[in-house]
Amino acid sequence: MSGADTSLHGWKRELRATLQLAWPLILANLTMASIQAIDTFFLGRLGAHELAAAALALNLAFALNLIALGLITAASPMMASALGRGRGRVKEVRRSFRQSLWLAVTITIPIWLLLINAETLIGWLGQEPELARDAQVFLWGYLWSTFFFLLFNALRNFLAALERPGWMLLISISGIPINSLLDYGLIFGGFGLPALGLFGAGLASTITWMLMVGAMLFVVLRDRQFRRFHLLARLWRPDWPRYRTMWALGLPIGLAMGFEGGVFSAAAYLMGLVGADELAAHAIALQIAALSFMVPWGIAQAATVRVGIMAGRGDKAGISRAGWTAWTLGVGFMSVMAIFLWLFPRELIGLFLADTPENAHVLALGASFLVVAAIFQIVDGAQVVGAGVLRGLHDTKIPMVFTFVGYWLIGIGVGAWLAFEAGWDGVGIWTGLAVGLAIVAILMLARWMMREKLGLTQPR
């Protein structure tokens, strides 16, 4: 076989491997995002005020949960590299998983303390007192889901590292009907349950995540291919060197993810300063954009594993193929989504909010936000996959700096200026987000292209 044929065969093999790992991760991401989308759908039926209050609550919780998620994500490249090396892989994977659970417990407690005092925090951020009060009502039911969300994702990282995400997909999909039924029952009083409104929506999410964790634990403890790792053995045993290593690797990941998710949360609070209608429209438009984002995010998660495995083997050509394959898939998909959002913004907003005279202004605002969102779809895909491939090389600190500069110094700065000084209002905030995403995408791509010169592909 010629060298060219061998190279082509390698690319085809990598494409198959990436897709095989990515598509269950993508669908699992979509189903997880759907849980929040379902909350948005039902709360939209309560009214724009309730939707705006829940948006403040969810954006605060989302930013905090993303930091925690990034922290435990450190286990993913560590487990993948151990599997790539092959030596003592069962013990190494178990130790990394165990410490990811320790990290989940560690980070959950301060998050709960913050969310318990969310009404005060939201008030300090200049939001209307009624919205802050109702946001706290939602969080009394929702905040407990943080711990179960992190446990689910720790188990998910384990299945992804083994390139066996099928069970994760099935369990994630099951969460959609469960959350839908619980939302209907606990928000509106269906099926003989009490009508709890905003509190019921938050409680429905907590119960859904708890049931999904229970199902995942059942699988990893009973399925033969996972049982041999004895994941829950000696959970109480400390492993301080690995714990510190995971903090060092995971904290930059968490901060980077928090900077990214937090910038959208900050945008929501800026929207609240513009007006309640703008905040409600932002919540819907962001939910739609988040659903499309789940695809490149899943590809990025697959890329972390594939690049990590190749790095563990010391295969520089394999690292290149894994990274560029994922980048092409992620950017290609988001290019298609950009066209879709550009062509059908009003129709997409209408899926979440009834087309009534009192909602006409919110619908129009949401459609205008989606037009801008269509523009940043492409760079959003590029930056998340760029972060994923660098994560596979254990490169997390500099990408964290990229996200801070791009999102907070540039994105929020430009968005706030356009909104309040140039008079663009909500569209200005979304334009700033697009600019920030573009800057981060360029920086991530440049660092990936310089990986060998920077020594990122050296064996670890």
Side-chain angles (χ1 to χ4, degrees), residues 47 94 97 149 158 179 297 299 350 402 430:
R94 180 172 62 245
F97 175 81
F149 170 77
F158 166 71
N179 193 63
W297 190 21
I299 294 170
F402 290 166
W430 276 76

Side-chain angles (χ1 to χ4, degrees), residues 314-374:
D315 184 352
K316 293 184 179 180
I319 291 172
S320 179
R321 284 194 299 268
W324 285 117
T325 297
W327 196 87
T328 302
L329 288 171
V331 174
F333 173 82
M334 292 300 262
S335 298
V336 174
M337 286 305 303
I339 297 172
F340 189 70
L341 266 62
W342 182 274
L343 293 176
F344 306 106
R346 178 89 181 194
E347 291 81 359
L348 291 169
I349 296 294
L351 295 174
F352 290 85
L353 194 65
D355 192 355
T356 62
E358 57 269 24
N359 290 335
H361 187 222
V362 177
L363 288 166
L365 286 169
S368 67
F369 296 163
L370 276 189
V371 170
V372 182

